[in-house]
Each structure stands twice: as structure tokens, then as C-alpha cells.
């Protein structure tokens, strides 16, 4: 279970990076205004919640990735041993968007509810959460498959050499079956 939580957390970090790319592209297109993570950190820091504060930008980046990693670990815990599909991830991402931008963020007075906010910002945030959910599932499943493939590799009998892939093993068996070409020394029969 802990291994899956770590994979979910890593998947969440990768998904947050993909989501952030969508947000930055929308910002360059003039759709965003201030980024919500920055507004959330600003409100959490001491002082007036709408006045800029020193250090809020790096703290916003750190907190955004931390929250994304945490949500990825929660997703891994919720899906258990099943391999989730992309539509489930998209629904999860949209669920995070609804709970945040129609729920606790407006309740805390940080941003207006999504239906009253800047249309460009909320459409961007909705799209970014779709990207988050899809990327989370793809990254999480890839990490789990990678671990499973490592666990099923076969190793040489001496245990000291690197893994052998099945075609290499067949070659080695054929090579060692031929006494004339055997890489191992012949057994000593006691004669000098």
C-alpha cells in the first residue's frame, strides 16, 4: 500500500507539472489574471488576504505541487489495487476543481465561485484539472507497470550478475549445454 501511495504522489507531482503548463499557456494568452494558487497562498499568509506579500510566488509553486502530490496519493489509496482508467482520473480532476472553486476557495473569500469568476480563468482551471486527472492516471499506471516488470525478471543462479531477459537466458542455456564451449571449468577428476 505504501508503495502505491508513493507512486500516486509522484504521479500527482507529474500531473501538477502538466496542469501548470496549461495554466502558464493560458496566462500568456491573457486568460488567467492572477493564478489561484498564488491567491490561496496570499490569503493564508499573515496580513490582508488580498494584498501582495513577499515570497508568495515561490510558496504558491511549492504548495501547488505539494497539494497535487497529496491528491495523487489520495487517488492511489482510493483506487486500491485496481488499475484506474483515464475517465476516472478526469472525473477525479474535475471533482477537485468543483470542491475547490465552487467550494472552499469561494467560502474563504479568496476567489468568487467559478460561475462568477473571470470566464477565461475558470475555463482554464477546469481544463487544467482535466489534464491533471488524465496525467495522474497515466503516470500512476506507468509507475505500477514498471515495478511489476522489475519484479518478474529472472536472475542468474549466482545472484551477482544483472538481470537476464528471457532471450539471453535461452542463449546462455544453449551455450552451457555444449561441453566444448562451456564457460565454466570442467570438474577436476583427481588425475594430475
Amino acid at each position: 500500500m505504501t508503495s502505491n501511495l508513493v507512486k500516486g504522489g509522484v504521479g500527482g507531482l507529474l500531473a501538477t507539472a502538466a496542469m501548470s503548463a496549461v495554466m502558464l499557456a493560458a496566462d500568456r494568452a491573457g486568460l488567467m489574471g492572477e493564478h489561484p494558487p498564488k491567491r490561496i497562498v496570499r490569503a493564508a499568509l499573515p496580513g490582508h488576504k488580498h494584498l501582495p506579500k513577499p515570497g508568495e510566488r515561490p510558496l504558491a509553486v511549492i504548495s501547488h505541487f505539494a497539494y497535487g502530490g497529496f491528491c495523487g496519493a489520495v487517488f492511489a489509496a482510493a483506487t486500491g489495487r485496481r488499475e484506474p482508467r483515464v475517465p476516472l482520473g478526469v472525473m477525479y480532476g474535475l471533482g477537485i476543481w468543483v470542491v475547490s472553486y465552487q467550494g472552499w476557495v469561494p467560502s474563504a473569500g479568496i476567489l468568487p465561485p467559478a460561475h462568477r469568476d473571470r470566464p477565461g480563468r475558470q475555463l482554464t482551471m477546469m481544463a487544467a484539472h482535466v489534464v491533471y486527472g488524465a496525467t495522474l492516471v497515466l503516470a500512476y499506471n506507468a509507475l505500477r507497470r514498471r515495478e511489476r516488470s522489475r519484479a518478474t525478471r529472472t536472475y542468474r543462479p549466482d545472484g551477482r550478475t544483472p538481470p537476464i531477459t528471457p532471450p539471453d537466458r535461452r542463449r546462455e542455456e544453449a551455450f552451457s549445454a555444449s561441453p566444448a564451449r562451456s564457460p565454466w571449468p570442467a570438474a577436476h577428476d583427481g588425475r594430475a
Side-chain angles (χ1 to χ4, degrees):
M1 181 65 171
T2 303
S3 174
N4 281 345
L5 291 178
V6 170
K7 287 179 196 61
V10 171
L13 292 173
L14 294 170
T16 303
M19 169 188 199
S20 298
V22 172
M23 293 165 62
L24 290 172
D27 191 35
R28 288 193 180 125
L31 299 173
M32 286 291 288
E34 281 193 301
H35 287 239
K38 187 174 174 184
R39 297 277 298 267
I40 292 166
V41 165
R42 180 181 293 162
L45 291 172
H48 192 279
K49 67 181 166 186
H50 295 297
L51 293 178
K53 299 178 178 99
E56 68 184 22
R57 186 175 190 153
L59 284 173
V61 171
I62 292 165
S63 66
H64 189 227
F65 276 86
Y67 186 64
F70 172 76
C71 287
V74 168
F75 180 78
T79 57
R81 295 180 183 257
R82 295 178 314 216
E83 185 169 291
R85 303 283 178 230
V86 170
L88 179 63
V90 168
M91 288 177 13
Y92 182 70
L94 286 172
I96 293 170
W97 176 78
V98 168
V99 167
S100 299
Y101 296 102
Q102 285 290 96
W104 70 269
V105 172
S107 294
I110 298 168
L111 288 169
H115 64 278
R116 289 198 337 243
D117 196 10
R118 293 173 63 128
R121 178 166 45 211
Q122 285 310 320
L123 286 174
T124 298
M125 294 309 293
M126 195 170 12
H129 282 82
V130 166
V131 168
Y132 174 87
T135 305
L136 171 61
V137 167
L138 295 172
Y140 177 60
N141 287 342
L143 291 167
R144 289 180 65 191
R145 281 189 213 112
R146 183 175 174 196
E147 182 181 63
R148 280 194 305 267
S149 75
R150 281 185 181 167
T152 58
R153 290 182 183 166
T154 1
Y155 289 85
R156 293 183 193 240
D158 64 10
R160 293 180 291 144
T161 54
I164 305 171
T165 58
D168 290 341
R169 175 170 247 204
R170 282 193 294 275
R171 251 192 320 266
E172 181 182 58
E173 288 169 356
F175 185 71
S176 64
S178 167
R181 302 181 73 200
S182 175
W184 293 280
H188 184 42
D189 63 353
R191 288 185 253 166

